[in-house]
Amino acid sequence: MKLTVVGCSGSFPSAESACSSYLVEADGFRLLLDLGNGALGELQRHVGLYDIDAVFLSHLHADHCIDMCGYFVARYYRHEGGRPPSIPVYGPEGTEQRLTTAYADTPSEKSMSEVFDFHTLKSGSFDVGPFSVRTEKVCHPVETYGIRIEHGGRTLTYSGDTGVCTALDELAGGADLFLCEASFTYGKEDIADLHLNGREAGAHAARAGAGRLVLTHIPPWTNAEVNLADARAVYDGPVELAAAGAEYEV
């Protein structure tokens, strides 16, 4: 599998990165994990607009899904070459309604579903293209799912947004690469079931026996280097900060 960081800023775009969006590729299939503020523009640096095969939306906060409105425009109103076939979009219950409300002026209440084939996420296992996928609900104020992606004997886990939870340990168990949020600063913010700090992300990776940890979703107001050091204090494996445009072979 190939992982490309399209955007990795938490809460709102930074000067260096769009919000959360990650491209996973294998066997010619392209799965997009989230599409937050600013990510649609960055996505076009890596892949054509009409070359995405499926989309996973971990939850419906704007920094993870709002650029789906722009993506709707690109797919629905495409004239040259005609409208492309609909693609699967996996998201929490109410995803279609949320995006329709955010866009506010779709031609009809069902226009989104003419280009996006919506599937409601629940905890469980299923296949997406060549990938074997497992999703579990994690701890966040709105319904949110982490995802474990397996292909060719290799595993990638993406936390979505979450506080400390056992489901994340299970999703990340033995993962070759663990893409984990680290929004908060250890010793500064202490809010349960909202976000992880660097130390908590590192502890999750250590408990899970993950092979590699990449910290992501760090807001512009958080000192990323502090979170990196805090993760390294509790996790012995390789750990680094996600950066827009970074690529990983998993």
Side-chain angles (χ1 to χ4, degrees):
M1 289 183 285
K2 178 183 177 183
L3 168 67
T4 301
V5 178
V6 179
C8 56
S9 184
S11 300
F12 59 95
S14 70
E16 292 79 28
S17 178
C19 284
S20 289
S21 189
Y22 313 93
L23 181 64
V24 184
E25 302 174 79
D27 295 347
F29 191 94
R30 297 178 175 95
L31 171 63
L32 190 64
L33 310 179
D34 287 338
L35 193 61
N37 314 45
L40 184 62
E42 290 300 310
L43 179 64
Q44 295 170 72
R45 297 180 184 273
H46 306 288
V47 67
L49 278 174
Y50 309 107
D51 295 332
I52 297 299
D53 296 294
V55 179
F56 165 85
L57 298 177
S58 63
H59 65 294
L60 301 180
H61 280 156
D63 60 327
H64 292 258
C65 75
I66 202 63
D67 268 24
M68 288 292 290
C69 291
Y71 198 31
F72 163 76
V73 172
R75 299 187 72 88
Y76 189 89
Y77 292 105
R78 182 191 182 196
H79 292 290
E80 186 175 354
R83 185 182 296 172
S86 63
I87 59 171
V89 174
Y90 300 86
E93 187 172 356
T95 294
E96 180 179 0
Q97 293 80 4
R98 171 75 168 90
L99 296 178
T100 300
T101 299
Y103 188 85
D105 193 27
T106 55
S108 77
E109 292 182 357
K110 288 298 181 180
S111 294
M112 284 278 175
S113 61
E114 293 182 44
V115 294
F116 300 135
D117 180 17
F118 290 100
H119 298 260
T120 300
L121 283 173
K122 299 294 181 184
S123 295
S125 300
F126 53 98
D127 292 334
V128 180
F131 303 116
S132 297
V133 166
R134 177 184 171 191
T135 55
E136 294 290 347
K137 190 175 181 181
V138 292
C139 296
H140 202 52
V142 299
E143 186 177 5
T144 305
Y145 291 87
I147 185 170
R148 179 184 178 94
I149 303 170
E150 298 183 20
H151 175 75
R154 306 289 287 177
T155 301
L156 163 67
T157 297
Y158 169 48
S159 67
D161 281 7
T162 185
V164 173
C165 64
T166 56
L168 188 57
D169 288 339
E170 295 170 3
L171 285 175
D176 296 287
L177 192 150
F178 183 21
L179 181 64
C180 186
E181 78 116 289
S183 305
F184 284 163
T185 304
Y186 176 63
K188 179 182 177 184
E189 298 110 336
D190 184 17
I191 306 171
D193 299 336
L194 182 56
H195 288 297
L196 300 171
N197 58 48
R199 188 178 184 89
E200 290 167 337
H204 267 298
R207 288 194 299 270
R212 185 178 191 178
L213 175 62
V214 178
L215 301 178
T216 193
H217 195 272
I218 300 178
W221 53 51
T222 296
N223 188 326
E225 293 298 328
V226 169
N227 284 17
L228 181 63
D230 286 343
R232 285 174 171 163
V234 295
Y235 170 66
D236 293 333
V239 54
E240 61 193 273
L241 300 171
E247 297 179 351
Y248 301 89
E249 293 295 329
V250 182

